Amino acid sequence: MTSTTIPVLLVTANVGSIFEDPTEMLKIWTEEFLSTVSKLDPKFIALHCQEVGGKNYELSMKHVEHFVKLLMSSNELRLFDRIRVFLDEDYSSAENFTALGNLYFVHNSLENILVWDFKDLKFVPVEGKEIYSGNIEAVVTKEKAKFPQDFFPECKWSRKGFMRTRWSVNGSVIDLVNIHLFHDASNFVAMESYPSVYCKNRRRALEHTLQRFHNDPYENAPYFLFGDFNFRTDTDGVIKKLTDGLKATRVQNNKNNEYTKLQYVNDESKPVLTVGKKEFNHLDHQTVFLNPTPEWLKSFDKELEAFEGTLTEYPVTFPPSYPFEEKISEACCYMQTRCPAWCDRVLLSRCAERLICADSKVEYGLMGTNACMGDHKPVYLKADLKENAGIIVCCGHAPFACLPDKCRCCQIFASIKINIVDMSEYITNSRNSYTKSPVDSKLLHEPITRDMLSHEPYTPESVDSHSPLHEDDSGIDGHGSSVSPVLLKNRLESIIREEFQKSPRLMKRSASENVQLTQRREHFVRTRAMSELPKIKVRLISATSKHSLHRLQSHHSSSDEDWFEFENESLNSVEDCFERFSSSEEKANNDKETPVLKKNKKPRKHCRLKIKTQNCCAVV
């Protein structure tokens, strides 16, 4: 009997910039999204958003409500009678806030739709329309985590992390993961080499996430990983390609006599390419990168190559999704701030690829090519999902059972597992002899070192924090002695067994507690649970009041990335990012301390926020 299929639409959208001008942009964005839904006619829609609310969340909450209401009350979605919305809105909790939003819409023609309960480890029926917002740490039908502050040496606070849900769609089990990785802060740092510091940071974070999924206590399921990966092109390679035969000159800033730009000029001394910290301006910018589709540029899109054994992607035939102009009148133009790149992607695990009907048409493209949808244009994948496929797993045995070479899948993730353990709490808690044998990940280049971290800023959208590791970052304890294969295998197995006995998690899992409903006589309403605000005094740079709320920085490279400041705090020290050209971009300021955010260990209250109505949700 031939199995039937379900048309699904997976969309990733960094929506941060549309909240800068919500009056105009929200309407344009939702109209374009709904137009795509009408054209493709899916029966299951997953919309993964990053930077929900923009860079000033406390002022944008009402616009987020309006954004959700526009979608849920639209005529195009009237037949989608089951909806789940997860909005991480608790900006007051720096250790938890990700600004991620997962929105799911189920058509009334689908009968057997279940969502996974991560607390009770079982599927539960999906009925009605529910919104979870504010502090959603206790919501049990999602898994959310930020990349730990102490995972990367000298890492800073940021919003970056992931949020996962698991679904059974007419008998086929899939994981849908929304992810947001670290961005490039400076063109000068990005162009120094490939892979850049930023690229390595993204790689480590993605490896960390994949090994967590592989080794968690839930049965492995096929997953679709779609979000803002912030993948960038090989900037150094692109510049060499564009400037072949040109002469490089330095442009001096008259205010402080520093060299702040590089210009590549032709024989007539006319600038062809100008590169600054936040400037990437070609003489024929739009023609080179947008018209026609820049196939030459795709050859420099290399970041996914490190994961080709684990992740797959349908052919990319659309232009780079970032950075587009945020002006409505220039919707089809790239901003001249960064080298255009395919930041937004829809990726599949190898098992998930087997769930897509091979005979059906797959559409992988850019949404809103002729409309202004912010600096990121949404990317979508429309495909037909096989029904009644159950749960497809990559292997049916524990990772340590197949070391060192029985299962390629587990071998890869086991090596990553050891790398993660060595870098984090295993060192802190045990410090035993196993850590004296550094193990390189098969997917990772060399570990991040302090020399790599000397560039400013490293993770620029967040405040500094101190590394919990020892001063020596060259390997685990500074030693690089070799170990015999037999001894290494025994150590690996021992570490993994001990780690599994403790906890299969390194990233902090969202709390799974009982959830309360807030109810009025007339209907269910949406409320918010917020953590207590940090006691540290913070003020917005653009505000005059000393009592302004702390806002975590966004990633938008087109605008100022330093959006808040702490009392008695100045700029962090920076190292010269311009050494290769015998000049300096910014002066270091080393005599000021970096603030440390206090963690809110216990939020005041965890609330599960529900709306169940026949037509659409009531948003308060």
Side-chain angles (χ1 to χ4, degrees):
M1 179 178 177
T2 303
S3 62
T4 56
T5 60
I6 304 169
V8 298
L9 176 63
L10 311 179
V11 182
T12 176
N14 188 311
V15 295
S17 62
I18 71 174
F19 289 96
E20 301 303 304
D21 184 15
T23 304
E24 295 286 340
M25 292 298 300
L26 289 182
K27 184 175 182 294
I28 296 174
W29 197 99
T30 53
E31 286 179 350
E32 194 66 30
F33 172 78
L34 294 171
S35 174
T36 304
V37 170
S38 297
K39 181 182 68 174
L40 299 176
D41 192 27
K43 304 306 178 187
F44 183 92
I45 303 172
L47 171 60
H48 285 177
C49 297
Q50 307 83 41
E51 298 292 344
V52 178
K55 58 189 177 185
N56 196 351
Y57 210 112
E58 62 270 27
L59 299 179
S60 300
M61 277 189 166
K62 59 183 179 181
H63 302 303
V64 176
E65 293 176 349
H66 181 57
F67 173 65
V68 175
K69 187 174 182 180
L70 282 175
L71 293 175
M72 296 181 68
S73 62
S74 65
N75 184 60
E76 290 83 354
L77 298 178
R78 70 187 184 281
L79 297 179
F80 290 79
D81 60 346
R82 284 152 291 173
I83 296 176
R84 291 295 181 272
V85 176
F86 304 87
L87 297 173
D88 185 14
E89 294 181 315
D90 190 4
Y91 58 85
S92 64
S93 178
E95 68 272 23
N96 295 318
F97 183 48
T98 63
L100 295 175
N102 292 19
L103 297 86
Y104 303 99
F105 305 88
V106 182
H107 197 270
N108 60 14
S109 62
L110 299 183
E111 298 179 354
N112 184 20
I113 305 298
L114 307 173
V115 68
W116 182 256
D117 184 320
F118 286 91
K119 178 184 178 182
D120 294 334
L121 305 181
K122 65 179 183 180
F123 280 108
V124 295
V126 176
E127 299 176 349
K129 302 178 180 181
E130 299 180 3
I131 296 178
Y132 306 96
S133 64
N135 188 315
I136 61 173
E137 299 305 302
V139 177
V140 296
T141 51
K142 66 93 188 72
E143 180 190 29
K144 180 178 73 72
K146 287 182 64 170
F147 300 120
Q149 179 185 3
D150 58 355
F151 180 73
F152 301 105
E154 302 297 336
C155 190
K156 307 174 182 182
W157 282 109
S158 74
R159 299 179 178 184
K160 305 302 188 290
F162 75 84
M163 182 152 59
R164 169 169 69 155
T165 56
R166 174 168 291 187
W167 298 80
S168 176
V169 183
N170 282 15
S172 296
V173 178
I174 56 174
D175 279 356
L176 301 177
V177 186
N178 186 0
I179 193 167
H180 194 186
L181 299 181
F182 305 99
H183 67 280
D184 283 12
S186 170
N187 289 328
F188 290 137
V189 177
M191 67 185 288
E192 288 181 346
S193 62
Y194 183 84
S196 68
V197 174
Y198 310 123
C199 174
K200 293 176 182 178
N201 196 10
R202 287 188 287 271
R203 187 176 298 176
R204 292 175 64 85
L206 186 52
E207 285 177 346
H208 179 62
T209 304
L210 296 182
Q211 65 82 23
R212 170 173 174 159
F213 294 158
H214 189 77
N215 296 310
D216 64 21
Y218 320 115
E219 188 173 3
N220 291 341
Y223 55 83
F224 295 83
L225 189 65
F226 49 114
D228 181 5
F229 293 84
N230 265 311
F231 287 164
R232 307 300 172 97
T233 55
D234 174 3
T235 306
D236 180 52
V238 171
I239 291 176
K240 289 178 179 178
K241 173 74 174 180
L242 294 174
T243 61
D244 185 28
L246 302 180
K247 179 182 179 181
T249 62
R250 295 188 293 268
V251 179
Q252 183 171 307
N253 188 328
N254 294 328
K255 293 183 179 180
N256 52 21
N257 294 324
E258 289 184 346
Y259 293 108
T260 59
K261 295 181 182 179
L262 266 179
Q263 281 190 344
Y264 297 86
V265 299
N266 56 23
D267 295 337
E268 300 174 354
S269 298
K270 184 176 182 179
V272 175
L273 179 67
T274 301
V275 180
K277 180 179 179 180
K278 299 180 185 179
E279 180 178 2
F280 198 93
N281 183 2
H282 193 274
L283 180 63
D284 298 317
H285 202 77
Q286 308 308 325
T287 303
V288 168
F289 295 110
L290 187 60
N291 299 312
T293 301
E295 295 179 358
W296 70 269
L297 184 61
K298 194 65 178 70
S299 64
F300 294 97
D301 178 40
K302 303 176 180 178
E303 291 202 39
L304 190 56
E305 292 177 357
F307 299 90
E308 62 183 5
T310 307
L311 299 172
T312 186
E313 182 180 30
Y314 286 98
V316 176
T317 58
F318 51 88
S321 61
Y322 172 87
F324 279 92
E325 284 284 354
E326 297 170 320
K327 299 177 183 178
I328 297 177
S329 60
E330 302 178 10
C332 300
C333 299
Y334 286 115
M335 285 191 290
Q336 298 172 347
T337 54
R338 310 288 185 190
C339 178
W342 290 267
C343 295
D344 310 274
R345 317 287 276 257
V346 181
L347 307 180
L348 304 79
S349 66
R350 293 294 179 179
C351 294
E353 188 178 22
R354 292 157 53 188
L355 281 175
I356 302 299
C357 180
D359 298 331
S360 63
K361 179 182 179 181
V362 174
E363 294 188 39
Y364 187 33
L366 210 60
M367 188 182 297
T369 53
N370 297 318
C372 183
M373 304 191 75
D375 56 348
H376 289 255
K377 287 195 184 295
V379 171
Y380 70 90
L381 176 70
K382 194 267 184 180
D384 290 341
L385 187 73
K386 296 178 182 178
E387 289 185 339
N388 299 313
I391 183 168
I392 300 176
V393 297
C394 62
C395 56
H397 49 82
F400 58 82
C402 62
L403 284 174
D405 58 0
K406 292 183 180 179
C407 172
R408 182 174 181 272
C409 174
C410 285
Q411 184 180 1
I412 289 175
F413 283 106
S415 63
I416 297 173
K417 180 70 176 178
I418 301 306
N419 200 321
I420 299 298
V421 171
D422 287 343
M423 289 298 297
S424 56
E425 66 183 19
Y426 190 80
I427 295 180
T428 304
N429 295 336
S430 59
R431 288 288 177 184
N432 60 25
S433 60
Y434 299 138
T435 61
K436 294 182 179 181
S437 301
V439 182
D440 292 333
S441 164
K442 292 180 180 296
L443 301 182
L444 186 63
H445 286 228
E446 67 272 20
I448 300 296
T449 65
R450 292 187 182 276
D451 290 338
M452 298 177 187
L453 301 174
S454 62
H455 302 293
E456 192 281 331
Y458 181 50
T459 49
E461 68 269 29
S462 48
V463 294
D464 293 340
S465 62
H466 299 290
S467 170
L469 302 180
H470 289 294
E471 290 297 320
D472 188 358
D473 287 337
S474 58
I476 302 305
D477 61 352
H479 302 287
S481 57
S482 60
V483 183
S484 67
V486 175
L487 180 60
L488 176 60
K489 177 179 181 294
N490 293 335
R491 289 179 177 177
L492 292 177
E493 293 178 350
S494 300
I495 291 174
I496 294 178
R497 287 193 183 96
E498 183 174 346
E499 182 66 12
F500 268 65
Q501 290 174 358
K502 291 181 179 179
S503 171
R505 294 294 213 248
L506 289 179
M507 299 174 73
K508 182 170 62 177
R509 180 185 299 281
S510 300
S512 299
E513 303 174 3
N514 293 330
V515 184
Q516 298 179 351
L517 292 176
T518 302
Q519 185 178 13
R520 294 180 181 173
R521 292 182 180 180
E522 298 85 358
H523 51 260
F524 287 92
V525 298
R526 186 177 97 158
T527 59
R528 285 187 175 84
M530 304 296 286
S531 301
E532 295 183 1
L533 293 176
K535 296 181 179 180
I536 187 168
K537 293 183 179 180
V538 189
R539 62 176 179 270
L540 300 179
I541 290 178
S542 59
T544 57
S545 170
K546 293 183 179 180
H547 304 290
S548 299
L549 290 176
H550 165 215
R551 56 177 173 178
L552 291 177
Q553 295 180 10
S554 176
H555 81 291
H556 301 298
S557 59
S558 59
S559 57
D560 190 356
E561 291 170 342
D562 302 319
W563 290 314
F564 67 92
E565 62 184 356
F566 294 76
E567 291 189 2
N568 299 324
E569 186 221 357
S570 183
L571 296 176
N572 301 322
S573 62
V574 297
E575 187 170 324
D576 185 8
C577 296
F578 216 63
E579 292 182 356
R580 61 184 292 190
F581 302 103
S582 303
S583 63
S584 63
E585 181 191 5
E586 296 180 356
K587 289 186 177 180
N589 185 356
N590 298 316
D591 55 350
K592 300 294 178 69
E593 292 185 355
T594 300
V596 179
L597 288 179
K598 297 181 179 179
K599 295 185 177 180
N600 296 320
K601 296 182 179 179
K602 294 183 179 180
R604 276 187 288 182
K605 188 177 181 181
H606 293 298
C607 292
R608 185 179 186 179
L609 311 164
K610 285 187 139 185
I611 295 178
K612 292 184 179 180
T613 65
Q614 294 299 322
N615 297 320
C616 64
C617 69
V619 182
V620 178

